[in-house]
Amino acid sequence: MTKKSPLSIAVFVSGTGSNLVSIYNAIQNGHLNAKIALVISNKSTAGGLMFARENNITAIHISPNQYDDMATYTEELLNLLKDHQVELVVLAGYLKIIPTAVVQMYKNKIINIHPALLPSFGGKGLYGKRVHQAVLDHGCKVTGATVHIVDEEYDTGGPVIQECVPVLDDDTVETLASRVLEIEHKILPKTIQLFADGKISIQGRRVFINRDEP
Ligand code: GAR
């Protein structure tokens, strides 16, 4: 069977970019049939942008703050995605809302990783360490990570993959974050590969993973 051409992806980051690195490594190791066409960040100092530049990946700083109006910003964003023939947008620690026009143009083709089991501990203002603090404050016994389809709101689209981790009695925000991050680094590349293989089908909020024929 001929190998499919790599799925062209854009990775959006706002911070360190460890999820970007996990995608990059999965591609390098031959576990993920994708190509990072570009990395986009709303923050010029994002570690993820530096990583992209060091590894010869197109890295672009673009933020609504640079534009007089949202319409121009949205158009620029759409042009970037079109110009780089992006097939899947991956939000990997990206903390800005995606404009509605982009969500509509890339319907069911934008995914996000969230460091909790949605719909718990999600929504505007709940990101990064704040999520783990909220999980500890609530006294949860399990938490985890969710990869979900992106819609017009924060963290509300249907889950594609969710995986749990235990919350231990002596956990701090840092220990919990690192246990969850380990899971994130597994399930985000895995989800992208499912898209690359054309194994995802979506009905309403429900996302199905098509199994191979026996
Ligand atoms: C990750 O834990 C990701 O799940 C989280 O930000 C971190 C980014 O880490 N995203 C959110 O909280 C989005 N709501 P990274 O920059 O090292 O990939």
Side-chain angles (χ1 to χ4, degrees):
M1 206 170 74
T2 49
K3 196 172 183 293
K4 280 191 194 163
S5 55
L7 186 75
S8 173
I9 64 172
V11 183
F12 284 41
V13 296
S14 294
T16 322
S18 72
N19 276 290
L20 166 66
V21 176
S22 76
I23 295 166
Y24 178 84
N25 288 340
I27 294 171
Q28 294 296 112
N29 298 337
H31 298 310
L32 174 55
N33 186 25
K35 174 187 186 305
I36 305 174
L38 80 160
V39 170
I40 283 182
S41 182
N42 59 308
K43 287 214 166 142
S44 62
T45 54
L49 271 190
M50 320 269 184
F51 175 83
R53 290 193 183 113
E54 281 161 13
N55 289 282
N56 300 316
I57 300 167
T58 307
I60 292 162
H61 167 227
I62 175 169
S63 153
N65 306 339
Q66 299 162 319
Y67 296 86
D68 290 338
D69 57 86
M70 272 303 272
T72 318
Y73 161 70
T74 302
E75 201 182 313
E76 275 303 307
L77 205 51
L78 276 172
N79 285 339
L80 280 172
L81 298 176
K82 264 188 256 162
D83 290 349
H84 290 82
Q85 298 171 340
V86 169
E87 296 169 286
L88 181 75
V89 174
V90 180
L91 309 185
Y94 187 67
L95 304 180
K96 282 260 175 230
I97 198 100
I98 299 295
T100 302
V102 179
V103 174
Q104 285 169 354
M105 189 68 80
Y106 285 82
K107 190 169 165 50
N108 294 336
K109 289 181 180 146
I110 309 178
I111 57 173
N112 177 47
I113 180 98
H114 185 76
L117 298 172
L118 292 172
S120 292
F121 305 107
K124 191 167 168 35
L126 269 174
Y127 57 85
K129 289 187 173 171
R130 293 181 186 200
V131 175
H132 305 298
Q133 187 64 61
V135 166
L136 289 174
D137 289 348
H138 196 81
C140 290
K141 301 297 182 191
V142 288
T143 183
T146 303
V147 182
H148 67 94
I149 302 291
V150 170
D151 61 14
E152 283 87 349
E153 309 288 330
Y154 280 103
D155 303 328
T156 51
V160 185
I161 296 187
Q162 297 191 288
E163 210 173 303
C164 298
V165 300
V167 179
L168 306 179
D169 288 349
D170 60 354
D171 261 333
T172 60
V173 164
E174 286 71 29
T175 58
L176 194 53
S178 99
R179 193 173 311 116
V180 171
L181 212 46
E182 238 179 83
I183 297 296
E184 294 185 41
H185 296 164
K186 253 179 39 196
I187 67 174
L188 189 54
K190 186 171 166 185
T191 306
I192 299 168
Q193 185 57 49
L194 290 170
F195 276 90
D197 285 339
K199 286 192 173 167
I200 298 290
S201 56
I202 301 174
Q203 286 167 28
R205 293 192 49 78
R206 297 195 67 189
V207 181
F208 300 98
I209 298 170
N210 309 323
R211 307 284 165 198
D212 288 324
E213 297 290 321

